[in-house]
Amino acid sequence: MKPTIEILDRISKNSRNNNEEIFTRLYRYMLRPDLYYLAYKNLYANKGASTKGVDEDTADGFSTEKISKIIASLTDETYAPRPVRREYIQKKQNSTKKRPLGIPTFTDKLVQEVLRMILEAVYEPTFSNHSHGFRPNRSCHTALKSLKKEFTGVTWFVEGDIKGCFDNIDHHTLVDIVSCKIKDARLMKLIWKFLKAGYMENWVYHKTYSGCPQGGIVSPILSNIYLNELDKFAAKIATEFFKQKERAYTAEYGKLAGSRDYTRKLLKTATGQKKSDLLKQMKLLKAQMHKVPYASKTDKVMKYIRYADDFIIGVKGDKSDCERIKQQFSDFISQVLKMELSDEKTLITHSNQYARFLGYDVRVRREQKLKPNGRGSLSRTLNNKVELNIPFADKIMPFLFGKLAVRQTKNGVIEPAPRKYLYRCTNLEIISSYNSELRGICNYYGLASNFTRLDYFAYLMEYSCLKTLAGKHGSTSRKMIDKYHIKNGGWGIPYNTAKGKKYREFAKYQDCKNADSFNDVIINFGARHAGMTTTFEQRLTAEVCELCGKTDVPLEIHHVNKVKNLKGRQDWEIVMIAKKRKTLAVCKGCHHKIHHP
């Protein structure tokens, strides 16, 4: 039988070559066992693989028997998703607002992952280039890079905010949108089952009438299918709004440019004093040209970028144009998508002021400074260019206070503080915790023009780390530096490896700027899944227990969340540590003994 991934790759290519193509009989691919092995491969390494939903079902216990049961229930259409377990997570640092999170059972995650792969093959090639959220090889950084490139010279920003977007997705509208491209009654019925599965909160069942539960495997692709309608609407509005320039430059600039060209023509034959006078005149004309506006600003352009439910619009035009565009978007979102655009949070901002997008402050520079342009002349190289800045007061300082890494004295001075809740951790765990936080912040803000401001952030984090180590050992920061000083001039915590003694140095913020993470090359479906033939199928169908060595016995996957948490006291722990694997294919007898020693 042909591998299902190859079939999905062909579907993806067909969808790319013909965006209007309609697909049928996709449900049969839900009944292919090879997709479930690949789905398990995609899920088992996630942190949430051991997190329980409303029952005890986790990544532990995966087997060919389990796949057969899932496929049998899908074949006779008796499969019914369990309600998700509702939890709440904090929205922002120091925020009292919480976001609902739905945790499905692992069996439902497997089925959703297979469904996601099928939907992705159909829809991913049709999505807009201006959409960056929940898509392969796209991220916040690719959205910000696109903004920096495409929003050059815009006059206004419109910051879009949809009220409770993922909680208010209309189920009927979503199914109607999917039905336009997929004509498969059984697949649509399965999607309906997931949408209507409901949730358990404090062990009380609640029905779901709208929304894609955050936390579901299939929710991101469904929300992108839904919001792709907004992307198509934005493209339509941009086309209608577009107006070419009546002329390339202002009349005043054109007059000076004409005088400059005429003077340059006279210079070719001039000699003596006349040539000297013409050179002075040429210099004066160039100076005047640098002082007057160049662009005629008779064109109208609208740019649009979306990441998940956050979108930003850049407009070359008047404020009245922005008001009209905002109203058009508001009408479309309410009438077609059955959601609401927040009037209070959907702001219209002049581009010389900061707008907020994906945690960055965004503006268009008005820079009149002349610099060499690489063509042997001077020009305003930074004028009308997009600038991305770190909102230090709104993002970095709340992070530091939220982590208790700093404190404010009575006279208002901010100083590093020890994080007492880390005293119980080892020295290596303390410095590793600080390093991961420092790298995370510095890597995310690596695109910022004011990246060097993070030098102060790094200083506060470093001395908070030193004070934490000093507090743990009843010492001082100075003594910690002296104690853990290393040859290159920095400091670090020593630890032993098989190759000898090494040091975990405190991270340097300049080194945390990872340019590789900003790659925005789009990889097609086939290339992304190339070489993803999973070993789980081989290990389970081999029917050889990896613990006791029994042959011709049905196997199950024993799964642990982290290998580093194993103590090495039991035989199965020793084997997993030796293999450096989170999974072990064992017979049912061994699996029972592992859980009930």
Side-chain angles (χ1 to χ4, degrees):
M1 186 170 63
K2 193 173 185 178
T4 314
I5 282 297
E6 292 184 16
I7 298 171
L8 295 183
D9 183 36
R10 190 187 67 226
I11 289 172
S12 180
K13 289 176 181 176
N14 291 342
S15 186
R16 183 178 296 105
N17 296 332
N18 181 12
N19 284 356
E20 303 303 319
E21 183 170 355
I22 294 173
F23 294 89
T24 59
R25 300 181 66 199
L26 294 175
Y27 188 80
R28 55 183 170 165
Y29 303 125
M30 297 289 305
L31 312 179
R32 297 263 191 138
D34 58 338
L35 278 189
Y36 289 87
Y37 291 109
L38 181 56
Y40 186 81
K41 177 184 174 71
N42 294 342
L43 295 175
Y44 86 98
N46 296 343
K47 290 182 180 179
S50 298
T51 304
K52 298 175 183 177
V54 294
D55 57 20
E56 299 297 311
D57 188 22
T58 66
D60 186 58
F62 178 72
S63 62
T64 54
E65 183 182 352
K66 183 167 188 170
I67 294 174
S68 299
K69 287 181 180 178
I70 292 172
I71 290 175
S73 64
L74 287 169
T75 303
D76 59 21
E77 297 185 38
T78 58
Y79 172 78
R82 303 294 302 274
V84 298
R85 179 166 63 85
R86 172 68 60 91
E87 292 289 336
Y88 291 90
I89 58 174
Q90 198 171 357
K91 270 195 170 184
K92 295 179 182 177
Q93 198 76 30
N94 298 331
S95 173
T96 55
K97 294 183 180 179
K98 293 190 175 182
R99 176 184 288 112
L101 183 70
I103 304 173
T105 65
F106 191 78
T107 298
D108 291 341
K109 286 181 183 179
L110 277 174
V111 178
Q112 285 191 42
E113 176 63 13
V114 174
L115 177 60
R116 183 199 65 77
M117 287 190 281
I118 295 170
L119 291 176
E120 186 183 282
V122 173
Y123 278 100
E124 177 60 31
T126 70
F127 286 153
S128 167
N129 285 332
H130 304 297
S131 165
H132 294 264
F134 309 134
R135 295 184 61 188
N137 215 48
R138 292 199 171 201
S139 64
C140 293
H141 284 149
T142 62
L144 290 161
K145 283 182 71 177
S146 296
L147 186 150
K148 195 170 183 178
K149 179 181 178 182
E150 297 177 17
F151 279 45
T152 300
V154 301
T155 316
W156 299 90
F157 293 122
V158 181
E159 304 169 56
D161 186 272
I162 301 173
K163 286 185 178 178
C165 177
F166 299 116
D167 297 330
N168 293 312
I169 287 176
D170 185 77
H171 290 170
H172 290 278
T173 304
L174 173 60
V175 171
D176 289 343
I177 292 169
V178 177
S179 298
C180 292
K181 196 164 184 66
I182 297 176
K183 304 294 184 183
D184 188 326
R186 292 197 295 173
L187 194 74
M188 300 309 300
K189 187 177 178 182
L190 180 63
I191 292 172
W192 263 116
K193 285 181 178 180
F194 280 117
L195 293 174
K196 296 296 183 183
Y199 64 92
M200 297 286 287
E201 187 173 358
N202 296 325
W203 298 109
V204 177
Y205 175 75
H206 300 268
K207 292 183 179 180
T208 47
Y209 299 98
S210 65
C212 287
Q214 295 183 37
I217 305 298
V218 80
S219 296
I221 186 75
L222 289 177
S223 62
N224 262 341
I225 292 169
Y226 197 82
L227 292 174
N228 189 50
E229 299 301 304
L230 181 64
D231 301 339
K232 291 192 284 188
F233 175 75
K236 176 175 172 287
I237 293 297
T239 303
E240 293 172 354
F241 182 72
F242 178 75
K243 179 185 175 184
Q244 283 188 327
K245 287 183 179 180
E246 295 175 3
R247 55 182 182 272
Y249 40 75
T250 62
E252 188 179 3
Y253 188 90
K255 186 177 179 180
L256 290 168
S259 299
R260 177 203 60 189
D261 294 341
Y262 180 70
T263 305
R264 184 180 289 143
K265 184 179 179 181
L266 292 175
L267 271 168
K268 291 180 180 179
T269 56
T271 57
Q273 184 61 38
K274 187 177 180 181
K275 184 175 183 179
S276 179
D277 293 340
L278 287 172
L279 286 170
K280 288 179 182 178
Q281 186 179 349
M282 176 71 80
K283 187 176 181 180
L284 179 64
L285 285 169
K286 285 184 177 180
Q288 289 175 334
M289 288 173 69
H290 286 307
K291 292 178 181 178
V292 300
Y294 171 80
S296 63
K297 295 186 179 179
T298 54
D299 59 330
K300 289 185 182 290
V301 178
M302 190 198 96
K303 298 291 185 179
Y304 163 89
I305 289 175
R306 178 177 67 82
Y307 183 90
D309 60 334
D310 292 332
F311 66 90
I312 187 168
I313 300 168
V315 178
K316 283 185 184 179
D318 303 324
K319 189 173 183 180
S320 58
D321 295 326
C322 298
E323 295 284 1
R324 186 171 69 256
I325 289 170
K326 177 183 173 181
Q327 189 59 50
Q328 288 175 313
F329 271 77
S330 180
D331 292 342
F332 178 84
I333 288 169
S334 62
Q335 294 169 15
V336 178
L337 299 184
K338 305 294 189 295
M339 293 188 290
E340 186 179 352
L341 191 67
S342 172
D343 281 331
E344 301 79 21
K345 294 182 180 179
T346 304
L347 307 175
I348 297 174
T349 310
H350 196 275
S351 62
N352 64 2
Q353 303 294 321
Y354 284 118
R356 184 66 56 80
F357 184 61
L358 299 181
Y360 274 78
D361 278 343
V362 184
R363 71 166 182 170
V364 175
R365 302 179 75 158
R366 303 295 191 271
E367 180 62 69
Q368 303 302 317
K369 190 174 181 180
L370 297 173
K371 292 185 176 182
N373 58 15
R375 299 189 299 270
S377 60
L378 298 175
S379 63
R380 294 179 283 249
T381 56
L382 297 177
N383 194 38
N384 284 328
K385 301 296 184 184
V386 175
E387 181 182 43
L388 303 175
N389 279 331
I390 304 167
F392 208 87
D394 291 345
K395 296 293 182 181
I396 304 302
M397 295 313 298
F399 174 84
L400 289 167
F401 278 106
K403 294 291 185 180
L404 304 180
V406 296
R407 61 188 170 205
Q408 192 168 17
T409 61
K410 291 180 180 179
N411 57 2
V413 176
I414 293 174
E415 61 181 21
R419 292 159 71 173
K420 296 180 180 179
Y421 61 89
L422 293 179
Y423 284 179
R424 66 182 181 275
C425 301
T426 65
N427 293 349
L428 197 62
E429 288 171 338
I430 290 172
I431 195 171
S432 298
S433 177
Y434 275 92
N435 278 351
S436 64
E437 291 164 357
L438 180 67
R439 288 194 182 101
I441 292 289
C442 294
N443 184 44
Y444 185 75
Y445 285 109
L447 292 172
S449 300
N450 62 343
F451 179 78
T452 52
R453 284 205 66 188
L454 291 176
D455 180 51
Y456 180 56
F457 167 69
Y459 155 75
L460 293 172
M461 288 288 282
E462 181 175 8
Y463 277 86
S464 173
C465 181
L466 288 166
K467 287 191 174 186
T468 303
L469 291 169
K472 174 182 174 66
H473 298 289
S475 184
T476 65
S477 299
R478 181 70 263 171
K479 289 180 180 179
M480 290 293 104
I481 293 175
D482 293 338
K483 181 178 179 180
Y484 297 118
H485 178 77
I486 51 183
K487 291 180 181 179
N488 66 2
W491 65 276
I493 303 299
Y495 63 99
N496 295 317
T497 68
K499 295 181 179 180
K501 190 177 184 181
K502 290 189 176 182
Y503 288 87
R504 181 71 48 82
E505 295 183 53
F506 191 85
K508 294 179 174 62
Y509 85 99
Q510 302 97 326
D511 300 336
C512 300
K513 189 176 180 180
N514 183 8
D516 293 338
S517 67
F518 307 151
N519 179 24
D520 59 355
V521 176
I522 305 305
I523 301 176
N524 63 40
F525 186 90
R528 285 195 303 105
H529 292 282
M532 289 193 69
T533 52
T534 175
T535 60
F536 287 109
E537 183 173 6
Q538 298 169 5
R539 292 165 67 190
L540 288 173
T541 54
E543 296 186 340
V544 177
C545 179
E546 295 177 353
L547 190 58
C548 69
K550 284 184 182 178
T551 58
D552 298 325
V553 289
L555 304 180
E556 296 176 345
I557 294 291
H558 176 62
H559 173 272
V560 296
N561 203 28
K562 292 180 180 179
V563 175
K564 70 177 184 179
N565 291 340
L566 299 177
K567 305 298 183 184
R569 295 171 183 168
Q570 305 292 330
D571 290 342
W572 64 270
E573 291 181 322
I574 295 170
V575 172
M576 294 188 86
I577 292 169
K579 289 177 177 287
K580 296 181 180 179
R581 275 182 174 171
K582 297 171 69 172
T583 58
L584 203 62
V586 295
C587 63
K588 290 187 177 182
C590 288
H591 202 194
H592 181 78
K593 289 178 183 177
I594 289 171
H595 287 287
H596 306 283

